[in-house]
Amino acid sequence: MTEPFSQQGLKFLDRNPPAFAMDSVQTMAQHLFGVEGDFKSLNSERDQNFRLAARDSRFVLKISNVDEDPAVVDLQTKGLQHVARVDPTVPVPRVVTTKSGQAWAHVEGPDGAMHMVRLLTYLPGTPLGETSLTPALLRNLGGGLARLDKALRGFTHPAARHELLWDLQQAPRLRPHTASIVDKAERATLEKWLDGFIDDVLPGLARLRGQVIHHDANGNNVVISPDEPNEIAGVIDFGDMIHSFMIADPAVSAADLLMGEDMLEPMGDLIAGFDSVLPLEEEEVDCLFDLVVARCALSIVILAWRNAAPDGPGYLEGYGPRALAAMEHLLTMGRAKVRAHFRKVCRFAPFCPQPGDGGLNEDSASLLERRHHALGKALSLSYDQPVHVVRGEGPWLFCADGSRLLDAYNNVPQVGHAHPHVVRAIARQAAALNTNTRYLFDKVVDYAERLVATLPEGFEACQFVNSGSEANDVALRMARLVTGNQGVLVVENAYHGITASVDEVNLYGRPDWVPPPYVRGLVAPDPYRGPFREGDGDLAARYAADADRAIAELAAAGIKPAALMIDSGFTSNGVPEVPEGYLASVAEKVRAAGGVVIADEVQVGFARSGSHFWGILTHGVVPDIVTLGKPIGNGYPIGAVITRRDTLEHFGDVTELFSTFGGNPVGCAAGLAVLDVIEREGLMENAAVTGAHLRDEIRGLMDRHVWIGDVRGWGLLIGLDLVRSRQGREPASDEAKRVINHMRQNGVLVGREGPHYNVLKIRPPLAFQKQHVAPFIEALDKALSAL
């Protein structure tokens, strides 16, 4: 059991400060340190301090309380010396040694007791507590504390973990002393809050970064520059220096300085300033509310306890009521609001707790109204009830109301939302360099070499851009240049991007649209819903024959095909079970007519098939050009075109194409990290195993749900065709919309796809694993039952 503090154990708080006469102090200073001048007494709780104005310099002479631990004084002295060595620009007092070179000396006091005497340089300025706390000043205060903590990071000392009454880690030992609080309601509030802090918060603080800190940057211990009212001239009085969690430094400062009704913004300014110099971790930011409240609470307890002693009345008079008012105000604002503000100023995503914990339930209706005003109403949202997400992790998305959703739809975070390896790679590279490819740097070369190594022989070089749309745009231009032709073949309902030239070849969602004369659509090779089905002979040949028709139509218009652009997952067609040999036959016909094959691998590339790194290789086809988009950077904006070196160099010579930030160091760092994760975590194998298990489990529902017409796909790309009748195969389009909305309400995200929007598109991040199949099937089962 933790022993409470005792008055007996804190003798220096009971003992009066030293009482040396002024003349003996002057003699002491001259004899020990060789300084003389005008002396002025300074206030101190437990020591006797003097300001000494010498001829050219000013100092502070400190005579320690007789009960002060010499090891603690040594801690403070060596800490100041460490800061002076590590970062001389940090404005803290400098230790002035005695004539004999010692950091302090012992002198005999009027009562015969021996006292430690030190001399420090004096930092001129106005006490922070006597100035206006402007946002700029508070940010500079936070930054100044961070600079001090950075300088102290490597400092250690045997006395660093000494017993200190005001140490937040001592809350369990101070808890019994709430009995000294006279007001019963006030006592009950404090006890309830402290019990929660001790049981629920304090144990987790051991995970935070720990070091020696100042621990008392209050209004008396920080001075402001006489000439610059927003600049910190110095941090003084290291009497509370201790080893603790680093984040306690700004927390203590916030609690001691910002005791008013408008605390939130000022605290945010202080924390933002600290974070700008010494970046905080999420856990540190999230515990700040509790630390600030804890400092207020412990202050109230300490003052009540001290003032209950016979010599205690009047101890720090007025501070207790201010601390109580600050604590009450913080509790009224609530942890969620304060935490959200701190995360916002530090540029972290909004806090989202684990499922069932509740959370910051932001007003989605208000956000939707702001979105419509700022972005326009034409920008659509998925699902009838918009998903208000605040963060992601692996295959999970977390919402503002504290709920979580299993993401079985988004392929952009290819290796999982916010994968830590990718996040670190992006952050570290952004902190070092981000520029364009007009300069030499290794990341773009490293990434190009690793990408090329994943493709069959013949692929040798990369052109980097910023998106899949740009990659497809460049690929079309490249195909037209190397072939001298203009025609483009795409599959009906195909989608390849948003640039002007690519949009002309999109047939997605445009049943009545007439494409340009050089674009021809091919009948989708869909044996379940297309014109040719099981029993209709050689399905591959029958569907491939449509390429002959398209090429002939182009020829009749005097146009030759430059390219076949193909999404080898046929995703926008509803992920059909493409007949074996179909794509190889079409590719052969296009090449014979003078065209090349462009593989748009944005949706199915990068190991999603489970059997091949690139989707088109599952069809036995080696393309001429491969295009990639945002999944290769796990959502970071990067795209690539990969082809033969002679093709790329010829294209570059003619067009002089330069994408300013295509292949920038940060994008390439993201891409390299994604490749790392796919390889290290075996995500291609996971796609095969998990995808097969998921398809089997979905097929297991077919006996119970006649709505399921067909289940197809490979790896983690699956199409679930919903029908109103298995015999007639009538697309259940409205029902599919109801299903995806019902699944969203039950915690799983899927989309719908295909020409009739009746196919559930299941395309999760590759972090989706076998343990995620059960909740998916449960939500699907419920949604189909609801039909």
Side-chain angles (χ1 to χ4, degrees), residues 22-39:
M22 183 66 74
D23 57 348
S24 64
V25 171
Q26 292 172 330
T27 300
M28 180 195 311
Q30 200 284 325
H31 173 71
L32 293 174
F33 298 98
V35 295
E36 52 186 332
D38 296 328
F39 284 76

mmCIF file of all heavy atoms in Angstrom, residues 22-39:
data_model
loop_
_atom_site.group_PDB
_atom_site.id
_atom_site.type_symbol
_atom_site.label_atom_id
_atom_site.label_comp_id
_atom_site.label_asym_id
_atom_site.label_seq_id
_atom_site.Cartn_x
_atom_site.Cartn_y
_atom_site.Cartn_z
ATOM 1 N N MET A 22 22.374 41.120 6.042
ATOM 2 C CA MET A 22 22.845 41.617 4.762
ATOM 3 C C MET A 22 24.360 41.781 4.721
ATOM 4 O O MET A 22 25.006 41.425 3.732
ATOM 5 C CB MET A 22 22.166 42.943 4.430
ATOM 6 C CG MET A 22 22.540 43.503 3.064
ATOM 7 S SD MET A 22 21.926 42.459 1.701
ATOM 8 C CE MET A 22 20.186 42.876 1.761
ATOM 9 N N ASP A 23 24.949 42.271 5.808
ATOM 10 C CA ASP A 23 26.399 42.487 5.777
ATOM 11 C C ASP A 23 27.163 41.166 5.682
ATOM 12 O O ASP A 23 28.177 41.067 4.995
ATOM 13 C CB ASP A 23 26.852 43.281 6.996
ATOM 14 C CG ASP A 23 26.458 42.620 8.316
ATOM 15 O OD1 ASP A 23 25.641 41.669 8.292
ATOM 16 O OD2 ASP A 23 26.960 43.047 9.375
ATOM 17 N N SER A 24 26.649 40.125 6.352
ATOM 18 C CA SER A 24 27.328 38.828 6.270
ATOM 19 C C SER A 24 27.161 38.222 4.874
ATOM 20 O O SER A 24 28.044 37.534 4.381
ATOM 21 C CB SER A 24 26.788 37.883 7.343
ATOM 22 O OG SER A 24 25.412 37.601 7.123
ATOM 23 N N VAL A 25 26.019 38.502 4.222
ATOM 24 C CA VAL A 25 25.809 38.020 2.859
ATOM 25 C C VAL A 25 26.792 38.693 1.914
ATOM 26 O O VAL A 25 27.379 38.051 1.038
ATOM 27 C CB VAL A 25 24.355 38.272 2.416
ATOM 28 C CG1 VAL A 25 24.190 37.981 0.942
ATOM 29 C CG2 VAL A 25 23.401 37.443 3.253
ATOM 30 N N GLN A 26 27.003 39.989 2.092
ATOM 31 C CA GLN A 26 27.941 40.705 1.225
ATOM 32 C C GLN A 26 29.363 40.175 1.398
ATOM 33 O O GLN A 26 30.093 39.976 0.424
ATOM 34 C CB GLN A 26 27.886 42.201 1.561
ATOM 35 C CG GLN A 26 26.565 42.849 1.172
ATOM 36 C CD GLN A 26 26.443 44.267 1.678
ATOM 37 O OE1 GLN A 26 27.021 44.621 2.731
ATOM 38 N NE2 GLN A 26 25.682 45.087 0.966
ATOM 39 N N THR A 27 29.713 39.928 2.650
ATOM 40 C CA THR A 27 31.050 39.386 2.932
ATOM 41 C C THR A 27 31.200 37.997 2.320
ATOM 42 O O THR A 27 32.234 37.655 1.732
ATOM 43 C CB THR A 27 31.272 39.323 4.445
ATOM 44 O OG1 THR A 27 31.159 40.635 4.994
ATOM 45 C CG2 THR A 27 32.644 38.753 4.773
ATOM 46 N N MET A 28 30.141 37.178 2.465
ATOM 47 C CA MET A 28 30.126 35.820 1.924
ATOM 48 C C MET A 28 30.343 35.836 0.416
ATOM 49 O O MET A 28 31.144 35.068 -0.137
ATOM 50 C CB MET A 28 28.787 35.177 2.260
ATOM 51 C CG MET A 28 28.590 33.775 1.768
ATOM 52 S SD MET A 28 26.832 33.330 1.868
ATOM 53 C CE MET A 28 26.407 33.822 3.519
ATOM 54 N N ALA A 29 29.653 36.724 -0.299
ATOM 55 C CA ALA A 29 29.749 36.781 -1.744
ATOM 56 C C ALA A 29 31.148 37.169 -2.197
ATOM 57 O O ALA A 29 31.692 36.611 -3.154
ATOM 58 C CB ALA A 29 28.724 37.761 -2.301
ATOM 59 N N GLN A 30 31.726 38.127 -1.510
ATOM 60 C CA GLN A 30 33.068 38.579 -1.894
ATOM 61 C C GLN A 30 34.115 37.508 -1.579
ATOM 62 O O GLN A 30 34.994 37.213 -2.390
ATOM 63 C CB GLN A 30 33.402 39.876 -1.150
ATOM 64 C CG GLN A 30 34.513 40.710 -1.786
ATOM 65 C CD GLN A 30 35.887 40.102 -1.520
ATOM 66 O OE1 GLN A 30 36.134 39.524 -0.452
ATOM 67 N NE2 GLN A 30 36.773 40.225 -2.504
ATOM 68 N N HIS A 31 33.954 36.868 -0.412
ATOM 69 C CA HIS A 31 34.937 35.878 0.023
ATOM 70 C C HIS A 31 34.878 34.603 -0.833
ATOM 71 O O HIS A 31 35.921 34.067 -1.217
ATOM 72 C CB HIS A 31 34.693 35.532 1.501
ATOM 73 C CG HIS A 31 35.545 34.408 2.002
ATOM 74 N ND1 HIS A 31 36.922 34.541 2.200
ATOM 75 C CD2 HIS A 31 35.240 33.123 2.344
ATOM 76 C CE1 HIS A 31 37.406 33.391 2.619
ATOM 77 N NE2 HIS A 31 36.403 32.517 2.729
ATOM 78 N N LEU A 32 33.666 34.121 -1.135
ATOM 79 C CA LEU A 32 33.534 32.846 -1.840
ATOM 80 C C LEU A 32 33.628 32.988 -3.357
ATOM 81 O O LEU A 32 34.234 32.162 -4.033
ATOM 82 C CB LEU A 32 32.201 32.180 -1.480
ATOM 83 C CG LEU A 32 32.044 31.703 -0.034
ATOM 84 C CD1 LEU A 32 30.626 31.212 0.201
ATOM 85 C CD2 LEU A 32 33.041 30.593 0.268
ATOM 86 N N PHE A 33 32.993 34.058 -3.897
ATOM 87 C CA PHE A 33 32.859 34.157 -5.355
ATOM 88 C C PHE A 33 33.603 35.345 -5.963
ATOM 89 O O PHE A 33 33.646 35.469 -7.189
ATOM 90 C CB PHE A 33 31.375 34.256 -5.729
ATOM 91 C CG PHE A 33 30.568 33.053 -5.323
ATOM 92 C CD1 PHE A 33 29.828 33.061 -4.152
ATOM 93 C CD2 PHE A 33 30.551 31.903 -6.103
ATOM 94 C CE1 PHE A 33 29.089 31.962 -3.771
ATOM 95 C CE2 PHE A 33 29.815 30.800 -5.726
ATOM 96 C CZ PHE A 33 29.077 30.810 -4.557
ATOM 97 N N GLY A 34 34.115 36.213 -5.112
ATOM 98 C CA GLY A 34 34.860 37.356 -5.620
ATOM 99 C C GLY A 34 33.981 38.396 -6.280
ATOM 100 O O GLY A 34 34.443 39.106 -7.171
ATOM 101 N N VAL A 35 32.724 38.521 -5.851
ATOM 102 C CA VAL A 35 31.829 39.515 -6.419
ATOM 103 C C VAL A 35 31.323 40.431 -5.323
ATOM 104 O O VAL A 35 31.167 40.022 -4.157
ATOM 105 C CB VAL A 35 30.633 38.852 -7.124
ATOM 106 C CG1 VAL A 35 31.088 38.052 -8.326
ATOM 107 C CG2 VAL A 35 29.848 37.977 -6.164
ATOM 108 N N GLU A 36 31.088 41.669 -5.710
ATOM 109 C CA GLU A 36 30.517 42.625 -4.770
ATOM 110 C C GLU A 36 29.677 43.624 -5.547
ATOM 111 O O GLU A 36 29.815 43.771 -6.755
ATOM 112 C CB GLU A 36 31.612 43.328 -3.985
ATOM 113 C CG GLU A 36 32.706 43.965 -4.831
ATOM 114 C CD GLU A 36 33.829 44.513 -3.976
ATOM 115 O OE1 GLU A 36 33.542 44.869 -2.817
ATOM 116 O OE2 GLU A 36 34.960 44.582 -4.459
ATOM 117 N N GLY A 37 28.799 44.314 -4.822
ATOM 118 C CA GLY A 37 27.891 45.264 -5.459
ATOM 119 C C GLY A 37 26.686 45.505 -4.581
ATOM 120 O O GLY A 37 26.738 45.306 -3.351
ATOM 121 N N ASP A 38 25.575 45.898 -5.217
ATOM 122 C CA ASP A 38 24.351 46.187 -4.475
ATOM 123 C C ASP A 38 23.503 44.928 -4.349
ATOM 124 O O ASP A 38 23.219 44.261 -5.341
ATOM 125 C CB ASP A 38 23.558 47.277 -5.191
ATOM 126 C CG ASP A 38 24.308 48.597 -5.224
ATOM 127 O OD1 ASP A 38 25.063 48.860 -4.265
ATOM 128 O OD2 ASP A 38 24.168 49.339 -6.213
ATOM 129 N N PHE A 39 23.069 44.629 -3.123
ATOM 130 C CA PHE A 39 22.255 43.445 -2.854
ATOM 131 C C PHE A 39 20.806 43.835 -2.611
ATOM 132 O O PHE A 39 20.538 44.841 -1.959
ATOM 133 C CB PHE A 39 22.789 42.691 -1.630
ATOM 134 C CG PHE A 39 24.023 41.886 -1.892
ATOM 135 C CD1 PHE A 39 25.271 42.504 -2.008
ATOM 136 C CD2 PHE A 39 23.950 40.517 -2.039
ATOM 137 C CE1 PHE A 39 26.400 41.766 -2.257
ATOM 138 C CE2 PHE A 39 25.087 39.770 -2.279
ATOM 139 C CZ PHE A 39 26.325 40.394 -2.398
#
